[in-house]
Amino acid sequence: MIDRSSRGQSEVVGVILLLAVSMTAIGMILFFGQGSILAIESNVQSERTMNEFALLDSKMATAALGGAGGQRAEMNLEGGAISSQPDAANFSVEYEPDDPGEDDQTWWVRIGNIEYEHPDRDQRIAYEGGGVWTREEGTNQSVMVSPPEFHYRELTLTLPMFNVTSEVNRLSPRERFAVEATETNVFDESDNLENPLPPGNVTIWVTSDYYRAWEDYFLDRTVGTDDDVESFDENNTVKMRLPVPEPGDIEESVSIGEGNNLVVGDQAFIDSYDSDLEADYFGSSLTLFSECSDPDGAPRDGYVGTFGDIATSGSIDLDGEDACVFGDVSHERDTGSSIGIENGVYIHGNVNSTDDITVSDATIGGAFSGDDVELDDDDALIDGDVHANDNGILDVDDAEVDGNAFVDGNQGVECDDGEVTENAHVPNENQVDEDCVDGDIYEPGETDYQSPVSPTLAEEPDDSTQDTTGFSTPDLGDLNECSDSDVDEDSYNNDDQLIVESTCVLDADDHEQYLFTDIEVEDNAELRIEGDIRIFVEDVSGQPDGGLVIDGELVVGDEDEGGSLEMTVEGDAIIDGKLITNEEYDDWDGPHKADQIMVYMDPGGSASGQDFYVGEGGDDAQATGAFFFVSEGNDDIEVFEDGSVFGALIAADNNVEVNGGSVHYDESLQNLQLTGGSQVYFLHLTENKIEMR
């Protein structure tokens, strides 16, 4: 017989045991998990507070920069305290001119901050300088939450220096307050300094408890060395230095240095355009010799420029059949150098040379020589004046000078059946055949006599104009902007190769600097550059094929804000597709805004035998930009029949061949400020006072 009382007792014991186990489990969870729960709660509260400060940042920007004047803000402080401290941080901008006769100038503002702290968390969050920052209590480790108002783009530095002027201390779980902002143009108050700045240095100093985060921001925002961005732990200060170099410009379509050769081959076409003009550019369609020799008779509705100048102190072979140059030619005598113009070449411009000028079966617009000028056959024509200096002579032979002759040589002007259609200026009238000159003959001492004008020579390119300071150590950017289908990840993961198969966007809002060992834009693919971006293509030992290959399109510029590209390539550059700018951007008239793209080929890299080809294997290949060739050696720079360069080729130590292709000089490059690393030419400073009530 079963004892019912025993069964009832066991049920009670079971319940007690169950309750005991449950209470023990709950106690263990509370004991061991409380720290994790509190940590999670603290992190959530911290994230919420940082979001509140981001909203405050937006209110401040609207009040100070948006013209709204006053704004009201409400913050949930999660039980912490908020205070505004005018003395918490300092900001200064110092300009030091290179000219010792000019004075240094400094603009100093006590920017202060609005800071939050919670009694139970070792963390502070602050609004400072137009940005939001956070740091661990008792350390100098800090992190940027949102960037400050610091605008650095295209050599222009714009700094609205936010100055928190009121001192307020509040302890409230939910805070409501108002902010008022006023703006003063600091830089314009200086009477003796104007934009663009004269050569020198601009140094920015920030003293703040968040100086480490400011340092990280400056390093990410600029390309510089350790000397350019430096921190000082002893006084919580960071500085950033931006050089103001001598303004540079690019004035020729093709420019090469001493001891190198320029070859202009068959059907080559060199002219200019201005990408800042709204007029349609049509020069690239003038490929027939009949149109080149008589461009005024060619059907067109647009613009062709005559600034497609060529400059070299090496040899020039202008002997391509029916080649066409709309611009001047500058040639400075060098040991073993020469200049030859023949085989149907037509030059719409002057030829300036310190050496002999020989023209055979060709036409030039005018001649300025440091020696002799010789027309070899009856198909030679100088469609303008001739100037022969330094005892030079003019040998017309059976050809024609459709202009004046200015000669100071002992032999004057020699003619067979040739002709000078206007006047001759010679040391002695006996030095010229009167039957050769259709106009008058003038000697020294006569009122109308004029001496020959010396040749006008272009400045020789050198490495100093191709400074690439800071390009050797750019920050690594990742490829989060490109989907998996766009990038060959097997190539990218280990070797830092970027192989674009469809569409890839590199956005400056994500990263401003990228480092690759190879970039390949495949046929029908597109690599887009949005914002101002720097790319370094590094030559790596064991990877001989590294470099830049464009079979598709590399498009620079966002359609809403434009952008720019500065690229350094240590390997080869093969362009059979298009390197262009975004013509959808309203401020650019067309896809060839050359002053937005600068390409430096092998600046001190380890690559040897570097090649630069445009149009070798592609149809209508287009390379837009200013292309600098710094490496020494017998590297090949060639523009083939199906290739066009829109911009300029600047080669200090390389040969250049234009073999049936075209070079169209962008006249906007005349005003280009040559950069190397981070530099500044234009400075705009304002003090934006913020009062918190």
Side-chain angles (χ1 to χ4, degrees):
M1 181 177 177
I2 300 175
D3 188 345
R4 294 182 180 272
S5 63
S6 298
R7 185 174 61 182
Q9 291 174 357
S10 61
E11 289 177 354
V12 173
V13 171
V15 171
I16 292 173
L17 290 173
L18 179 62
L19 290 173
V21 170
S22 298
M23 293 300 292
T24 301
I26 292 172
M28 293 179 67
I29 290 173
L30 291 175
F31 181 78
F32 292 105
Q34 184 178 16
S36 298
I37 293 172
L38 292 176
I40 293 173
E41 181 183 6
S42 178
N43 289 336
V44 170
Q45 291 176 346
S46 178
E47 290 289 337
R48 186 181 297 124
T49 304
M50 284 190 282
N51 289 335
E52 294 283 336
F53 264 79
L55 292 174
L56 173 64
D57 183 14
S58 176
K59 292 281 188 181
M60 295 292 192
T62 301
L65 304 177
Q71 289 284 302
R72 293 192 174 275
E74 178 178 323
M75 298 182 70
N76 185 350
L77 302 178
E78 300 288 346
I82 188 171
S83 61
S84 62
Q85 307 169 93
D87 298 333
N90 300 325
F91 201 110
S92 66
V93 179
E94 182 182 53
Y95 168 70
E96 301 172 277
D98 286 345
D99 187 348
E102 298 293 333
D103 295 331
D104 296 354
Q105 296 204 38
T106 301
W107 300 270
W108 184 87
V109 174
R110 193 184 299 275
I111 60 174
N113 65 25
I114 300 174
E115 191 173 56
Y116 163 84
E117 65 174 317
H118 193 284
D120 299 329
R121 296 200 295 269
D122 294 332
Q123 180 192 38
R124 290 177 180 263
I125 301 171
Y127 169 84
E128 180 179 281
V132 178
W133 320 82
T134 181
R135 67 182 176 92
E136 295 181 17
E137 187 67 52
T139 74
N140 61 3
Q141 300 304 312
S142 53
V143 177
M144 182 185 72
V145 178
S146 63
E149 295 293 340
F150 179 95
H151 307 285
Y152 176 56
R153 182 173 182 178
E154 295 182 1
L155 304 173
T156 299
L157 179 61
T158 302
L159 287 177
M161 296 184 289
F162 283 66
N163 176 7
V164 178
T165 60
S166 56
E167 183 173 356
V168 178
N169 292 284
R170 309 260 182 164
L171 292 172
S172 172
R174 182 174 296 276
E175 188 63 47
R176 294 182 177 88
F177 52 85
V179 290
E180 293 283 346
T182 58
E183 179 177 294
T184 303
N185 201 326
V186 176
F187 181 79
D188 283 354
E189 292 180 356
S190 172
D191 295 330
N192 57 346
L193 190 63
E194 298 179 351
N195 280 315
L197 298 175
N201 290 288
V202 171
T203 304
I204 298 168
W205 301 81
V206 179
T207 300
S208 164
D209 289 340
Y210 302 87
Y211 73 103
R212 284 292 189 185
W214 278 96
E215 179 185 21
D216 292 339
Y217 176 73
F218 286 156
L219 286 170
D220 181 65
R221 196 65 183 85
T222 62
V223 179
T225 66
D226 292 340
D227 292 334
D228 295 328
V229 179
E230 186 177 2
S231 62
F232 306 90
D233 295 335
E234 61 271 18
N235 57 359
N236 292 0
T237 298
V238 60
K239 75 168 186 177
M240 179 183 67
R241 172 183 167 274
L242 294 171
V244 185
E246 285 280 1
D249 53 27
I250 301 171
E251 297 184 341
E252 291 83 33
S253 61
V254 181
S255 180
I256 66 176
E258 180 178 339
N260 299 281
N261 298 322
L262 169 65
V263 176
V264 179
D266 295 352
Q267 300 290 331
F269 191 93
I270 299 175
D271 68 343
S272 72
Y273 67 104
D274 190 340
S275 62
D276 290 333
L277 293 182
E278 295 182 359
D280 293 333
Y281 167 67
F282 66 91
S284 58
S285 64
L286 296 179
T287 56
L288 298 178
F289 179 67
S290 60
E291 295 177 345
C292 178
S293 61
D294 185 19
D296 292 334
R300 61 195 183 278
D301 298 317
Y303 165 85
V304 62
T306 58
F307 295 95
D309 299 342
I310 296 171
T312 180
S313 55
S315 295
I316 303 180
D317 295 324
L318 295 163
D319 60 359
E321 183 177 357
D322 294 348
C324 185
V325 177
F326 281 85
D328 295 337
V329 176
S330 172
H331 170 253
E332 186 170 2
R333 187 203 307 264
D334 179 43
T335 302
S337 70
S338 61
I339 177 169
I341 307 170
E342 57 186 346
N343 204 20
V345 171
Y346 204 113
I347 299 176
H348 291 274
N350 296 317
V351 176
N352 293 271
S353 176
T354 56
D355 207 341
D356 297 341
I357 298 176
T358 302
V359 183
S360 176
D361 185 20
T363 300
I364 66 176
F368 296 80
S369 172
D371 212 321
D372 301 337
V373 178
E374 183 176 356
L375 309 183
D376 265 359
D377 55 37
D378 57 5
D379 289 323
L381 170 65
I382 297 182
D383 191 15
D385 296 338
V386 174
H387 298 257
N389 291 271
D390 297 336
N391 292 318
I393 65 171
L394 169 61
D395 186 357
V396 180
D397 199 16
D398 294 332
E400 179 181 344
V401 175
D402 192 6
N404 298 289
F406 302 87
V407 182
D408 68 358
N410 294 326
Q411 300 182 54
V413 179
E414 297 181 357
C415 297
D416 287 336
D417 293 328
E419 178 184 15
V420 176
T421 63
E422 297 188 23
N423 304 319
H425 301 253
V426 293
N428 190 310
E429 66 177 8
N430 296 325
Q431 295 173 346
V432 61
D433 184 350
E434 295 183 3
D435 294 335
C436 176
V437 179
D438 293 349
D440 297 323
I441 300 175
Y442 299 107
E443 295 179 298
E446 296 184 8
T447 303
D448 294 327
Y449 172 79
Q450 297 179 37
S451 300
V453 176
S454 299
T456 301
L457 301 176
E459 183 177 351
E460 179 182 348
D462 55 46
D463 289 347
S464 65
T465 65
Q466 301 153 40
D467 181 19
T468 55
T469 302
F471 279 89
S472 59
T473 55
D475 294 339
L476 286 172
D478 58 40
L479 296 181
N480 294 330
E481 302 82 1
C482 301
S483 65
D484 292 343
S485 62
D486 298 331
V487 180
D488 185 344
E489 288 200 0
D490 292 336
S491 297
Y492 171 71
N493 283 341
N494 297 317
D495 299 328
D496 297 326
Q497 291 180 308
L498 172 59
I499 300 178
V500 183
E501 297 174 332
S502 55
T503 300
C504 175
V505 177
L506 301 183
D507 193 332
D509 289 339
D510 298 305
H511 297 282
E512 296 180 342
Q513 302 170 58
Y514 293 83
L515 174 66
F516 302 110
T517 61
D518 186 24
I519 296 180
E520 181 177 347
V521 184
E522 297 185 352
D523 193 21
N524 297 318
E526 180 181 338
L527 173 60
R528 292 205 308 271
I529 304 297
E530 296 187 352
D532 301 319
I533 283 180
R534 296 179 175 93
I535 296 176
F536 189 88
V537 183
E538 182 181 31
D539 180 60
V540 177
S541 177
Q543 295 185 2
D545 296 329
L548 172 68
V549 176
I550 302 177
D551 290 322
E553 292 189 358
L554 196 164
V555 181
V556 176
D558 175 79
E559 63 182 25
D560 296 322
E561 298 182 357
S564 64
L565 172 64
E566 293 183 11
M567 178 183 292
T568 298
V569 181
E570 286 190 343
D572 298 337
I574 312 298
I575 303 175
D576 289 327
K578 292 180 172 62
L579 171 57
I580 56 179
T581 52
N582 192 339
E583 60 184 324
E584 299 299 323
Y585 181 46
D586 289 341
D587 287 355
W588 297 344
D589 188 60
H592 302 122
K593 196 75 174 68
D595 57 357
Q596 301 302 308
I597 302 175
M598 299 182 70
V599 179
Y600 298 87
M601 295 297 297
D602 189 20
S606 59
S608 60
Q610 185 184 42
D611 295 329
F612 178 85
Y613 293 150
V614 180
E616 179 190 24
D619 184 21
D620 191 25
Q622 300 176 19
T624 303
F627 298 90
F628 298 89
F629 303 89
V630 188
S631 63
E632 298 181 3
N634 297 317
D635 302 348
D636 293 329
I637 303 172
E638 295 192 45
V639 184
F640 293 87
E641 181 177 356
D642 292 321
S644 298
V645 172
F646 293 85
L649 301 174
I650 303 98
D653 297 292
N654 304 85
N655 301 322
V656 178
E657 295 187 32
V658 185
N659 289 321
S662 59
V663 179
H664 312 288
Y665 170 68
D666 187 351
E667 296 167 26
S668 69
L669 294 175
Q670 295 179 71
N671 301 315
L672 179 68
Q673 308 291 350
L674 299 180
T675 65
S678 296
Q679 301 176 349
V680 63
Y681 283 94
F682 301 93
L683 182 63
H684 302 283
L685 301 178
T686 58
E687 179 184 2
N688 300 78
K689 294 182 180 180
I690 295 176
E691 183 178 359
M692 176 180 170
R693 300 195 308 273

